Every structure is written in C-alpha cells, then in structure tokens.
Amino acid sequence: MSYIDIQNINFAYHPKRPILQNLSLSIDKGQWIAILGHNGSGKSTLAKAIIGLLEPDFGTIDIDGMTLSPTTVYEIRKKIGIVFQNPDNQFVGVTVRDDIAFGMENLGVPQAEMLEKIDFYAEKVGMKAFLDKEPAELSGGQKQRVAIAGILAMQMDAIIFDEATSMLDPTARRELMDYIRELHNEGLTIIMITHDIEEALWAQRLVIIKDGTVFRQGTREELLKEPVTFIEAGLELPVGLQISNALKQMNALSLELEEHLWESSLKK
Amino acid sequence: MGIQFKEVSFQYPGWGKQFFEALKDISLTINDKDEFIALVGETGSGKSTLAQHMNALIFPTSGTVEINGVPITAKRNKKIKYNSIRQQIGLVFQFPEYQLFEETVEKDIMFGPKNFRVPEEEAREMAKKALNMVGLSDKYLTRNPFNLSGGEKKRVSIAGILAMNPKILILDEPTSGLDPAGKKLLMNLFKSIQKETGKTIIIITHDMDLVYEYTNRVLVLNEGMLEFDGTPDYLFHRHDIDKWHLDYPATISVLRSINDKFHYNLDIYQKTIDAAVSTIAKAVQS
Ligand SMILES: Nc1ncnc2c1ncn2[C@@H]1O[C@H](COP(=O)(O)OP(=O)(O)OP(=O)(O)O)[C@@H](O)[C@H]1O
Ligand SMILES: Nc1ncnc2c1ncn2[C@@H]1O[C@H](COP(=O)(O)OP(=O)(O)OP(=O)(O)O)[C@@H](O)[C@H]1O
Ligand SMILES: [Mg+2]
Ligand SMILES: [Mg+2]
C-alpha cells in the first residue's frame, strides 16, 4: 500500500464549478514527486485536500494506512506538512522565532529541544539573523524561507511544497534544493508543486494536472520524451531539450550531442 | 522627465529604534521612454524597497527621488499630488494579495481608472480588456478575487495596473506563480506595450532567461547598494555574477556546456532558444 493513496476524488467550491474530477494518485513512502499544471488546474486545491483542509465531495484519501476524516485529520497533520503558496498564510506569531516555533508547539516538542531546532533550521534557510524581526518586516523571499523553516522543523514524514521557492534567488534556491535532497535521502517524502521544470526535475516522478485531474504521470525520463504532452498541458520542456528537439527536426543533431543535452538537462 | 534617484538612502524603522538600512546612497536615472529594465539581486537586497520609491509609496530617508520633475524627499510636501504620481507610475506588488481588495474582479480592476475619473462604462470596458490581455476570460469578472488560484490572482493584479494606463510600468516579480504559457503571454504583452507605446517597463525578477531575452538594461542591487547598471550582455559576459546570487541564462549555460564538451567555438551569447538552435545548426552543418 502506498503512503498517500488518493482514490477518485471530486471537489467543488461551488456546485456549478467542479474543480477536482476523478482524481487518483498514489505516492510511496520516501518518494519525491513534482506536480505541474496550468494556473487554476487544481494543484493547491489537491494539496489542501491531502492535509484535510478541504473535504472531497466524493472519493477517499488514505495516508499511512489511515483514511482521512474529521477524526483522523489531527493525527495525519502530525505526519504530513504543507508550505503554502502564500507564506503570509503560514504566519501567526509576532516574531520570526514564534513562527518557526508554531508548528513544533502544536506537536508538543519540549522547550529546550525547540529552541535548538529554531536555531538549526533558521540557519539552514539563512534566516538566523532575522529571528527577532516581525514577519511583516521581511522581503518576499525571506518570508518564503521562514515558512519553509517552520515546516522543516516539525520533522514530519512528508512535506508538500506549494510553489514554496518561487521568490528565492538562484543561489538560495539551489542551496535549499540541495538541503531538501539531503532530507529526501534520509527518507522524507516530498510533493513539490511548481511551474519551474528545472525544479521539477529534482523529483523522480512527474505528475501533470490538467483541468482538475491527472493528465499524465511517469518518471522524468518517460515524460520528457513526450514533448506533445507538455504542449497539450501548457507546459514547457527544459531549455536543453527544447534545443535538442529543434535540432533533431532540422536533422542537425548528432547522437553525441543529443546524449549530452539529455544528460546535462537531467543532472541536478 | 522619468525617474532620478539622487544619493538616496532608506532606513526601515526596526525594533527598539534599531534602524535597518535597506538602500544605501543610490544614484540612478531612468528615462520615461524606451527602456525595458530588469532589477535583480539577492533575496532581501532591496529591490521591492527601491520599486516603492519609484511611485512615492515610501519616501527616502535622505536624498531625493525626482519623479517626472517632482522632487520627493523625506519631508511630505502638501503641494505635491502623490496620487497623481501613483497614476503615472503603475506598480504591481510582489504579492497580489496586497493589491486586491474589492469584492469582484471587475470592481477591482475598475478601481484604478474610476479613481482617476474615467467614466463608469469606459472603466468597465477597460477592465474587461485588461482581464483578457492577461489571459483570463470574461467569466472571471464576477469572481471574488480572494477565491482565485495563486496565478489567477497575480494576473488580476497585473490587469488592475494595466487598466490605469500608467506612463511607466513597474512589475515586482510579475511571473512568479504564472504557468509557462502565462509567463510567455505576459512577457510578450509587456514587450509589445513597450514597443508600441515606447513606455518604460521595469521588472523585478530572479529569472535570468527573461532578463536576457526581454530587457535592455539591468540594475543589480546588493545589500542595498546599486552595484551594476548596464546591458544584459555586459552582465552575462562577467564571470563573477554569483557574488550577487545571480545565475546565467539557460541558453548561455547550454551553449557553454556544448563548447566545453565538444571543443566547439560557438558564440554562446544567444538570447533566445531559436537563436541558440541556429547557432548550433550552423556549426554542425559546416
Ligand atoms: N476559495 C475558492 N473558492 C472558489 N473557487 C476557488 C477557490 N480557490 C480556488 N478556486 C478555483 O479553483 C480552481 C483551482 O484552484 P487552485 O488554487 O487549486 O489552482 P492551482 O492549480 O493551484 O493554480 P495556480 O498555479 O494558479 O496556483 C481555480 O480555477 C480557482 O479559481
Ligand atoms: N517593513 C519592513 N521593516 C523592516 N525591514 C524591512 C521591511 N521591509 C523589508 N525590510 C528589509 O529590507 C531589506 C530589503 O527588503 P526588500 O523587500 O526590498 O528586498 P527584495 O530585494 O525585494 O527581496 P526579495 O527578492 O526577497 O523580494 C530586507 O533585508 C528586509 O528584511
Ligand atoms: Mg496554486
Ligand atoms: Mg521583493
């Protein structure tokens, strides 16, 4: 049985406007998947359903063998966390320190351990000098880093990142992704919602959502061989592969060059 | 005319009278015509703070920002019509949530034009047109802007500023949260507005591909200081840009990796994928 098992869910904010439609998706423990899809396709809605913030109108969601319901939702939120698309939705405290502590407090982490972890994770995301600031006094990218630190500090089984790095500079993003990979190697299950194909390729499996349902899923290698899938879903291939495909059409692509473009596009 | 920064510094009031200096001695001239500028730099380097000086949302702690001839200094001046400046210089915020406030998308986009005395019906037309320009259909007019997806909110906030028809357009991370098709649509929209009207457009972004393909001038901020002001080509010819937390555009990286691997001598400074492809094709076929 998969760690997260979504079976045929439907969801609508308004009866006349169905959003998620017959959506099924399974994610194994320790897997890293990326979710791609056009604006309004239902990615954030799906994320909120997985952590029980929205209740599907139909279908079931099982997490770690438990079926999500009003009685299991609190147990499940100790296993799986989310970094929201808008970091302001994550902030409740007066200071950055309070905000990183908030999730841990809910888990009942002892005070001394909590203080240690606040320092550790603030350092990891490069925000240690900002612990006494108010969240409102941070820049966009700084807010995103604090939101991420708060969830990492909870040390859960699985984390959903909903476009959580969209405002980081290239260096900060690479550093963070390297760290996330370390956590993944230690067993963290990761669901990364993103519009950035380069970021998506850190994952083993890609899931493309279109109009509220899974349009296509597979390993990175499988899906990247289907440029048509990307076009139909309104997505883009990495630049190296766009170049490779264009050269091929012009009969100007040697085998060695093709191999090089693929290798360098997939290397993370 | 345009925007001139003259030795501008800015401090945010912090905790216990500890001030934080977000901008340090910035001098800079931006023309009101024919510029497509990228403002880049590390997270927290001061980009959004600088942008908010350009339409008098915040005032310098010292120095002067001259906006279309009107000098803005630390002291508020009752004779200055700050609202008129904010109409001339349109600023789209980094987080759309800070900009949206009406109960429908239509009202939200109409707010700007109406505020500047455009008649109701005309404002309604402008709202619809602006909404379509950012890739959303009329169906969205009656939606509550707070109940939209992240990318939809971003588009509506951009439409709101487009409908004001400002003289200079400043967009703080306009493509974060947009899907690839939306990103292309909007960047091409800004480019065509720039071409057709000659209006200056300034974008803040971390996406070096966009910087290289679309803009003709880059400003790099680092810890509140302006450390580079020049063309994107000049910037990406440098070898030390990682000190500013920047990266090279994908076309340059891919071409460079081909040169390294196959000992070619391709000109790696290609701004678009098409240009990169023909550069490689020419080399392969000769
Ligand atoms: N609270 C809400 N009430 C009504 N409709 C909503 C609400 N939130 C989202 N929607 C609609 O549901 C659809 C899916 O939204 P969702 O936020 O899941 O999209 P998304 O895939 O995350 O998009 P994006 O890439 O723009 O973040 C959108 O069309 C949106 O307008
Ligand atoms: N209201 C505020 N009060 C105090 N300090 C602030 C405030 N807003 C921003 N700062 C600080 O000023 C500096 C510059 O912030 P700014 O938002 O201009 O950065 P930015 O370059 O736009 O970053 P990002 O790319 O992350 O959006 C940051 O270090 C930030 O912490
Ligand atoms: Mg979303
Ligand atoms: Mg900013």
Side-chain angles (χ1 to χ4, degrees):
Chain A
M1 191 171 186
S2 302
Y3 187 70
I4 299 173
D5 210 354
I6 301 163
Q7 294 145 26
N8 220 15
I9 59 169
N10 285 3
F11 177 81
Y13 294 96
H14 276 278
K16 281 195 201 132
R17 238 187 16 247
I19 304 292
L20 303 181
Q21 301 179 69
N22 302 322
L23 190 150
S24 297
L25 183 62
S26 299
I27 302 157
D28 287 336
K29 185 145 194 158
Q31 228 183 16
W32 182 341
I33 73 155
I35 297 184
L36 298 149
H38 63 85
N39 288 139
S41 56
K43 303 179 299 296
S44 298
T45 304
L46 172 63
K48 286 175 193 160
I50 295 175
I51 58 156
L53 278 179
L54 298 173
E55 198 184 339
D57 302 319
F58 185 83
T60 56
I61 298 177
D62 291 341
I63 289 169
D64 200 12
M66 282 187 285
T67 299
L68 188 58
S69 74
T71 48
T72 58
V73 68
Y74 292 99
E75 204 47 45
I76 282 170
R77 281 198 207 143
K78 290 179 189 162
K79 296 172 181 289
I80 178 162
I82 182 169
V83 185
F84 289 112
Q85 188 163 4
N86 179 353
D88 285 325
N89 293 344
Q90 209 100 16
F91 299 146
V92 288
V94 176
T95 65
V96 167
R97 187 190 307 280
D98 298 340
D99 274 314
I100 299 181
F102 180 73
M104 287 190 282
E105 276 168 0
N106 284 346
L107 293 181
V109 175
Q111 186 76 12
E113 192 186 330
M114 195 155 79
L115 291 176
E116 236 168 68
K117 282 187 182 166
I118 290 173
D119 277 356
F120 179 83
Y121 288 99
E123 173 89 57
K124 278 287 173 204
V125 299
M127 291 299 293
K128 203 162 168 197
F130 294 79
L131 282 173
D132 293 318
K133 279 214 177 196
E134 288 179 37
E137 295 176 324
L138 302 179
S139 77
Q142 290 167 346
K143 284 182 182 177
Q144 282 193 327
R145 296 195 208 186
V146 171
I148 291 168
I151 300 301
L152 292 180
M154 293 170 76
Q155 296 184 307
M156 285 176 289
D157 291 351
I159 300 181
I160 305 172
F161 294 92
D162 192 353
E163 299 188 40
T165 66
S166 62
M167 290 173 183
L168 297 192
D169 63 60
T171 307
R173 175 183 299 208
R174 196 166 336 106
E175 283 168 4
L176 181 73
M177 293 300 281
D178 279 332
Y179 181 56
I180 289 176
R181 171 145 64 194
E182 259 177 56
L183 297 176
H184 172 66
N185 289 340
E186 290 163 14
L188 182 69
T189 305
I190 299 168
I191 301 174
M192 198 162 265
I193 299 173
T194 179
H195 290 298
D196 180 356
I197 184 68
E198 294 296 338
E199 188 167 286
L201 292 180
W202 287 69
Q204 291 135 1
R205 189 154 67 99
L206 308 184
V207 176
I208 299 176
I209 306 279
K210 185 170 178 251
D211 299 324
T213 197
V214 175
F215 176 65
R216 183 84 178 83
Q217 57 174 312
T219 64
R220 338 179 275 172
E221 289 77 4
E222 274 166 15
L223 290 207
L224 291 175
K225 286 192 185 115
E226 304 173 6
V228 181
T229 300
F230 279 76
I231 294 166
E232 282 176 2
L235 303 176
E236 235 168 33
L237 289 168
V239 169
L241 295 189
Q242 289 187 52
I243 290 177
S244 174
N245 291 342
L247 287 170
K248 196 172 215 165
Q249 285 204 330
M250 299 165 76
N251 268 328
L253 186 66
S254 66
L255 268 179
E256 295 81 16
L257 185 53
E258 181 171 21
E259 202 172 290
H260 169 71
L261 288 170
W262 273 83
E263 250 173 42
S264 52
S265 297
L266 285 171
K267 198 172 114 212
K268 288 290 159 211
Chain B
M1 290 292 145
I3 306 172
Q4 280 93 38
F5 283 75
K6 295 174 189 162
E7 294 167 9
V8 168
S9 295
F10 178 77
Q11 298 179 338
Y12 282 109
W15 278 74
K17 302 212 166 47
Q18 234 188 1
F19 290 93
F20 180 82
E21 189 155 51
L23 295 177
K24 297 168 189 159
D25 196 22
I26 305 257
S27 293
L28 166 72
T29 296
I30 292 167
N31 295 314
D32 62 353
K33 283 267 168 258
D34 301 325
E35 297 219 67
F36 200 144
I37 299 177
L39 176 53
V40 304
E42 186 180 350
T43 299
S45 57
K47 304 180 294 296
S48 298
T49 307
L50 188 73
Q52 290 170 66
H53 277 79
M54 295 183 187
N55 77 342
L57 269 183
I58 49 185
F59 298 15
T61 308
S62 66
T64 309
V65 185
E66 204 169 299
I67 305 174
N68 285 339
V70 181
I72 309 289
T73 60
K75 267 215 181 85
R76 264 182 185 275
N77 181 338
K78 285 201 182 103
K79 284 185 205 134
I80 296 177
K81 296 195 181 83
Y82 294 100
N83 257 341
S84 138
I85 290 174
R86 287 169 205 145
Q87 178 185 15
Q88 293 168 33
I89 319 287
L91 171 64
V92 177
F93 289 145
Q94 187 165 2
F95 291 101
E97 286 82 359
Y98 296 173
Q99 200 163 317
L100 304 170
F101 63 99
E102 290 277 7
E103 67 219 44
T104 69
V105 166
E106 183 176 52
K107 280 190 188 161
D108 215 296
I109 306 178
M110 279 169 72
F111 179 83
K114 271 180 67 184
N115 200 23
F116 303 121
R117 308 233 164 84
V118 173
E120 176 98 11
E121 270 320 297
E122 203 175 314
R124 198 181 300 279
E125 272 311 300
M126 286 163 100
K128 209 166 119 174
K129 205 174 136 211
L131 186 72
N132 295 156
M133 282 200 286
V134 298
L136 295 178
S137 68
D138 294 355
K139 279 193 302 201
Y140 283 88
L141 286 169
T142 54
R143 294 281 303 276
N144 180 330
F146 295 97
N147 292 345
L148 298 175
S149 81
E152 291 165 346
K153 280 182 190 156
K154 190 96 204 184
R155 291 175 196 237
V156 172
S157 74
I158 294 172
I161 302 298
L162 290 178
M164 283 170 44
N165 196 20
K167 289 190 180 132
I168 295 180
L169 203 56
I170 306 169
L171 304 117
D172 198 345
E173 303 203 19
T175 62
S176 78
L178 292 191
D179 58 32
K183 181 157 105 178
K184 216 173 222 161
L185 176 81
L186 282 160
M187 287 310 297
N188 286 331
L189 174 66
F190 303 148
K191 185 170 140 189
S192 71
I193 291 175
Q194 209 279 317
K195 274 225 166 105
E196 280 160 28
T197 65
K199 280 178 193 183
T200 285
I201 294 184
I202 303 170
I203 60 167
I204 296 176
T205 184
H206 292 299
D207 187 334
M208 298 302 133
D209 294 355
L210 301 184
V211 172
Y212 202 32
E213 180 169 355
Y214 290 93
T215 71
N216 50 35
R217 179 177 175 194
V218 192
L219 307 173
V220 180
L221 279 184
N222 189 39
E223 295 182 359
M225 285 173 288
L226 182 62
E227 297 202 347
F228 177 93
D229 180 354
T231 65
D233 258 314
Y234 191 64
L235 176 72
F236 294 123
H237 272 76
R238 294 178 65 129
H239 296 289
D240 58 351
I241 62 171
D242 58 331
K243 73 176 180 195
W244 295 319
H245 280 213
L246 304 179
D247 210 345
Y248 292 92
T251 47
I252 293 182
S253 306
V254 170
L255 288 166
R256 184 177 278 152
S257 79
I258 293 174
N259 275 353
D260 289 350
K261 170 108 187 188
F262 301 102
H263 309 292
Y264 283 165
N265 201 10
L266 305 174
D267 176 6
I268 62 174
Y269 296 100
Q270 306 298 330
K271 291 179 186 252
T272 62
I273 293 177
D274 286 350
V277 168
S278 46
T279 303
I280 302 169
K282 251 183 249 152
V284 170
Q285 281 156 353
S286 68

